[in-house]
Every structure is written in structure tokens, then in C-alpha cells.
Amino acid sequence: MAGPSKSLVLDPALQKYYELTANRYKYFRWTPRHAWFSFLYMVAIPGALGYVAYNTDGKYDFRGKRREDTIAEF
């Protein structure tokens, strides 16, 4: 028959890891490293991508171009 049997032995290290990941919010602390990563992922990266997108908006046009034409509009 398929499925686990009564003689299945679970690895205690994996069980501890699963328990820790399920309850991670209980053990979280704000440290300078966590604050830096939060700032980086919530402010710096989206801000940089938005800045690049805003400055290049409408500058390039890939549709209807021939081989010798430039893609830069201005």
C-alpha cells in the first residue's frame, strides 16, 4: 500500500526547521541589517527603477523600424 507507514522516522532537524519557519514571526527582531534590507527592497530599488522608467519614457520606439533606422526618438 502507498503512503507512510507506522515505521516512518522523521528527521528531528527537519521537523525543527519546519516548526521555526511556521513560527518565524514570533522570533523576528529588527536589527540594522533587517532595516537596511527593508529600506533597500521597499524604497531604493523601486525608486531607481521608477527613475529610469520616467527618464526613458517615450525615448525608444521599436515598432516599425528598419535596419538602418535609429531606435532613439530624441
Side-chain angles (χ1 to χ4, degrees):
M1 292 281 159
S5 63
K6 292 183 179 182
S7 64
L8 179 67
V9 178
L10 299 175
D11 186 9
L14 282 176
Q15 291 300 110
K16 184 177 178 182
Y17 174 74
Y18 296 150
E19 189 69 27
L20 180 69
T21 55
N23 297 316
R24 187 175 301 270
Y25 68 96
K26 295 178 184 177
Y27 304 108
F28 179 80
R29 282 193 198 145
W30 280 103
T31 62
R33 183 173 188 252
H34 288 141
W36 171 248
F37 279 129
S38 296
F39 172 78
L40 189 67
Y41 290 128
M42 290 189 288
V43 176
I45 292 175
L49 290 175
Y51 176 77
V52 169
Y54 181 76
N55 283 335
T56 60
D57 185 34
K59 188 172 185 179
Y60 302 108
D61 186 20
F62 295 105
R63 299 182 78 184
K65 297 291 181 177
R66 296 183 184 213
R67 184 176 296 193
E68 300 85 22
D69 294 342
T70 179
I71 62 169
E73 292 295 318
F74 53 92

